[in-house]
Amino acid sequence: ISAGALLLYKETSIVLVGTPAVVILASAYFMPSDIALRRSAIIGGAWAVGVVVWLATYAILILPFITDVYGSKARPDSWVALSTVLRQPWPYVLCFSVLLRFFERNRLPWSAIWDSLPLVSVLYSAAMIILRFPNEYYYAPAVFSSLLYSGWVLRMYGVKLIANFAMLMILWQV
């Protein structure tokens, strides 16, 4: 239900919903010995069915009635949208968190949901850059999923570091 409500934000929010579903199903397929991942495949499958139903509904009921194409009006260059992303702190924090996760992968077990968040952030940002959206607020879901992932990775170092990190990110975003 929340995923369906999220899709009302923007059509590109399908990335936020579809990416974890694909990662869950791929994890269950490539790691069949893990019982928890096999059980989560049911959730991922249901999630993926919801995504397919939404895409079909969108293609049948909404897409034929769209008259204003994104590229039809004067829009900024894709480089402007990319520079918007690169001016913000969250891509760098995400890269640091992914590297930390890679080096500390033995301390944190694989989680299909949590480990899909960097991919969610990158794919959502790529969609916004391709559509040439230059404003920072369009990237809010990518920022949120990046901060969630960073908090999840940093939890192995204790709550105090996470609290300081969250405060730093809030101040930096302001």
Side-chain angles (χ1 to χ4, degrees):
I1 293 171
S2 64
L6 181 66
L7 291 174
L8 297 174
Y9 172 68
K10 282 230 157 283
E11 294 90 344
T12 50
S13 295
I14 195 70
V15 171
L16 303 173
V17 179
T19 304
V22 170
V23 171
I24 289 171
L25 290 174
S27 298
Y29 180 77
F30 289 111
M31 293 186 245
S33 61
D34 191 345
I35 294 171
L37 279 177
R38 283 193 304 189
R39 288 184 183 146
S40 68
I42 297 169
I43 296 169
W47 210 337
V49 167
V51 168
V52 170
V53 167
W54 187 89
L55 283 172
T57 305
Y58 183 78
I60 293 168
L61 298 177
I62 299 172
L63 206 54
F65 299 104
I66 295 177
T67 57
D68 184 24
V69 182
Y70 281 121
S72 65
K73 294 181 181 176
R75 302 204 44 87
D77 195 318
S78 293
W79 291 107
V80 174
L82 180 62
S83 68
T84 299
V85 172
L86 296 178
R87 280 196 313 261
Q88 298 179 32
W90 66 266
Y92 307 107
V93 171
L94 181 65
C95 290
F96 171 75
S97 298
V98 168
L99 284 173
L100 187 63
R101 170 78 168 119
F102 176 75
F103 291 122
E104 299 288 340
R105 64 186 173 272
N106 294 331
R107 291 177 67 183
L108 259 162
W110 169 259
S111 170
I113 298 282
W114 287 104
D115 286 320
S116 69
L117 289 178
L119 188 58
V120 166
S121 294
V122 169
L123 291 177
Y124 188 83
S125 297
M128 291 293 118
I129 290 169
I130 290 169
L131 293 172
R132 298 178 293 193
F133 288 129
N135 300 355
E136 287 89 359
Y137 62 86
Y138 284 116
Y139 300 91
V143 173
F144 184 67
S145 60
S146 297
L147 292 180
L148 276 177
Y149 180 75
S150 299
W152 180 73
V153 170
L154 289 175
R155 76 184 171 121
M156 69 180 134
Y157 294 105
V159 177
K160 186 174 182 181
L161 180 63
I162 293 173
N164 291 337
F165 173 76
M167 191 57 111
L168 174 70
M169 287 309 302
I170 290 169
L171 290 175
W172 197 358
Q173 284 293 113
V174 172

